[in-house]
Amino acid sequence: MTTKKKYPEKWTELNPGCMVFEAGSAKAHKTGSWKAQHPVWDNRKCIKCGVCYIYCPEACVSRTEEGYYAADLEYCKGCGICAHECWPGAIEMKEEEV
Amino acid sequence: MAKRVGMEVAIAAAEAVALCRIDVAAVYPITPNTHIAEHLAEIVADGRLDAEYITVESEHSSISACCGASGAGARAYTATSSQGLMLMHEILPIVSAMRLPVVMGLANRAVSGPLNIWNDHSDIMPQRDSGWISFFAENGQEAVDMSIQSFRIAEDPEVMLPIVLNIDGFQLTHMIEALELPSQKEVDRYLPPFRPLATLHPDKPVSMGAYALPDIFTEVMKVKDSVLIDSKKTILKAWDEWGKQFGRWYKPVETYKADGAEVLIMTMGSMGETASIAVDELRAKGVPAGLVKLRLWRPFPFEEFREAIKGAKVLIVCDRAVSFGGPGGPVAAEVKSALYSDAGRPAVLNFLIGLGGRDVTVENFKDILEKGVQAINKKPAGGYIFYGVRE
């Protein structure tokens, strides 16, 4: 499986044991669609400590150019750990809109 | 040159595994596998084998350690019995899906409850759909030979699947037999070094055991099925080459006096030896009885099985495990399903025998075969019988 081609055309083209020889290939598979909540940052409260970035189990939080933090919602599962860990209270979990 | 020795089968199996120059053994002792575990540990401790013997805290750990070791490119071996295999259950389909050629010696023992340490096949049967190749040894020599064959078959680039070798607990493992142990030179000639598809190494990163979303899971299952079916070609080739080198020949389905037999009895594992004596005695009296022994359980050898039972009017299937509330013993259920589309199929009788170590004697097999004779030209009653149950 490669990032260029998301899935092989046929079952016979799969790598043995589904081994993945390319680093970072999970990027091709967007897994954020099943979350019930998503984090929203209030940058007025954010002190740029990066705790949210460190604690995110999906590694989907990254640093923006201004030094604040944001989650890539295409991979975020809405677990709320970032909001729980953010001691200045800059992250709020909001319900997904159906 | 091969050495003719008198040796306990479990010890001989451990010696055979050592001759395969394994890199890693992770075995948790459990009766009746214990002597395999202990003897392998002794061989490593004595410095006769340069291998890592990982002392694990459970069977879940032993199979997991083998999984990791095999992924790192090591030739890995484990052995267990009964509850140990039940504890491994979670990991078994992962090893096969990851195409890791781990070899396991299984000293078959009844599964609790109630607690029973004796021999039957209720430990292996629930693992049927784990995607492993599954062999049954009939005697000590087969346990030795097939231990060595297993590494070669499992590690073939066309296969790369784990193998479980069933060795009946006590009936085989604790028996002292006269057998031939091949020399190191002979084993080295038969078994090439392990060449893994990929190894876990920082210089060449690889992800093993990646997840599969619903979009691709079906394709992965198709591969697992296909690779296991195709492994039969390699198994046949490896057995053929074993025969040429060692003079002992192996087939997926063995027959004994099956030519012209109207009644066939089918066994797996050690009971074939006893059943063959019953067949001899009945044949001497002119009864058209024969024996079929299933050595290859997965992949199921449909073609060879049909060929072996051709012409029989009654096929008696001996099961050593119960599928509670199901269609009979697991082997009979498979056999019946394999024969369903054949117009000339024999009547199938199913006996559940030798459960939890109960002896099955030559007299018992003669009695069962005679029941088969009585069923010739009669409509089969169907169902299954707990043979010898007190009522």
Side-chain angles (χ1 to χ4, degrees), chain B residues 12-298:
Chain B
E15 287 287 340
V17 169
L19 284 169
C20 295
R21 299 184 189 276
I22 55 164
D23 301 301
V24 169
V27 191
Y28 193 82
I30 177 172
T31 300
N33 121 301
T34 306
H35 291 180
I36 301 179
E38 286 176 351
H39 193 66
L40 258 181
E42 204 175 305
I43 292 171
V44 175
D46 287 351
R48 284 173 53 206
L49 175 69
D50 181 18
E52 194 69 38
Y53 192 97
I54 307 175
T55 48
V56 283
E57 71 275 21
S58 77
E59 289 84 355
H60 191 279
S61 305
S62 68
I63 188 66
S64 299
C66 285
C67 192
S70 188
R75 179 172 283 165
Y77 178 82
T78 189
T80 193
S81 292
S82 179
Q83 306 308 112
L85 187 63
M86 302 299 267
L87 192 53
M88 286 184 182
H89 180 79
E90 183 199 355
I91 308 301
L92 300 180
I94 297 173
V95 183
S96 57
M98 290 170 72
R99 305 285 296 278
L100 299 172
V102 173
V103 172
M104 183 201 303
L106 180 64
N108 300 97
R109 159 185 152 183
V111 158
S112 302
L115 176 65
N116 173 297
I117 59 163
W118 291 271
N119 171 223
D120 72 21
H121 295 161
S122 57
D123 52 3
I124 186 61
M125 290 302 156
Q127 325 302 332
R128 187 192 61 182
D129 298 336
S130 298
W132 285 50
I133 293 171
S134 184
F135 296 145
F136 276 80
E138 189 182 330
N139 52 46
Q141 188 66 59
E142 289 193 9
V144 166
D145 293 357
M146 291 165 91
S147 294
I148 301 164
Q149 295 158 6
S150 290
F151 285 102
R152 169 157 164 171
I153 294 161
E155 293 169 5
D156 188 289
E158 295 295 313
V159 178
M160 285 288 173
L161 284 173
I163 294 183
V164 53
L165 171 57
N166 293 273
I167 308 168
D168 280 329
F170 294 111
Q171 255 88 346
L172 286 185
T173 54
H174 287 51
M175 217 43 73
I176 294 174
E177 281 190 30
L179 37 86
E180 266 182 34
L181 266 190
S183 69
Q184 186 65 64
K185 210 174 149 190
E186 284 170 323
V187 174
D188 288 347
R189 186 151 79 89
Y190 181 78
L191 178 66
F194 175 32
R195 297 202 184 286
L197 292 174
T199 57
L200 294 170
H201 195 279
D203 288 349
K204 205 183 167 200
V206 57
S207 298
M208 294 183 183
Y211 80 146
L213 291 167
D215 314 37
I216 199 72
F217 196 77
T218 305
E219 284 69 24
V220 180
M221 294 301 104
K222 173 72 183 167
V223 173
K224 265 187 99 166
D225 186 44
S226 171
V227 168
L228 188 54
I229 292 168
D230 289 349
S231 71
K232 200 175 81 181
K233 280 181 245 158
T234 306
I235 295 168
L236 293 178
K237 195 165 157 265
W239 281 347
D240 187 56
E241 284 177 25
W242 181 273
K244 283 178 191 149
Q245 192 181 331
F246 295 95
R248 291 187 292 276
W249 301 85
Y250 286 79
K251 286 192 285 189
V253 183
E254 296 285 344
T255 55
Y256 181 71
K257 297 193 176 173
D259 278 350
E262 290 182 31
V263 178
L264 284 175
I265 188 162
M266 184 168 136
T267 59
M268 287 161 90
S270 61
M271 281 195 172
E273 307 270 298
T274 319
S276 69
I277 301 168
V279 166
D280 283 343
E281 291 187 14
L282 289 179
R283 279 279 184 175
K285 283 198 248 166
V287 180
L291 171 64
V292 173
K293 298 177 282 189
L294 191 62
R295 173 175 291 132
L296 182 59
W297 172 233
R298 278 293 182 278

Side-chain angles (χ1 to χ4, degrees), chain B residues 316-373:
Chain B
I316 302 163
V317 179
C318 299
D319 259 293
R320 305 199 56 197
V322 188
S323 176
F324 302 101
V331 183
E334 296 236 337
V335 161
K336 284 182 185 175
S337 115
L339 293 171
Y340 184 74
S341 56
D342 294 2
R345 64 180 181 258
V348 175
L349 302 185
N350 185 201
F351 288 88
L352 307 183
I353 64 169
L355 302 180
R358 185 172 291 188
D359 274 342
V360 185
T361 62
V362 174
E363 290 307 311
N364 293 149
F365 277 118
K366 276 160 72 182
D367 179 44
I368 291 170
L369 275 161
E370 270 153 13
K371 285 183 166 65
V373 172

Side-chain angles (χ1 to χ4, degrees), chain A residues 10-52:
Chain A
K10 297 174 187 165
W11 65 270
T12 47
E13 292 170 9
L14 282 169
N15 285 341
C18 292
M19 277 186 243
V20 184
F21 296 100
E22 186 191 358
S25 66
K27 247 186 182 169
H29 304 276
K30 288 174 183 160
T31 50
S33 62
W34 60 70
K35 65 180 164 295
Q37 295 182 320
H38 62 274
V40 177
W41 273 257
D42 181 350
N43 287 347
R44 289 169 302 178
K45 292 184 189 167
C46 175
I47 57 164
K48 301 181 178 176
C49 68
V51 154
C52 53

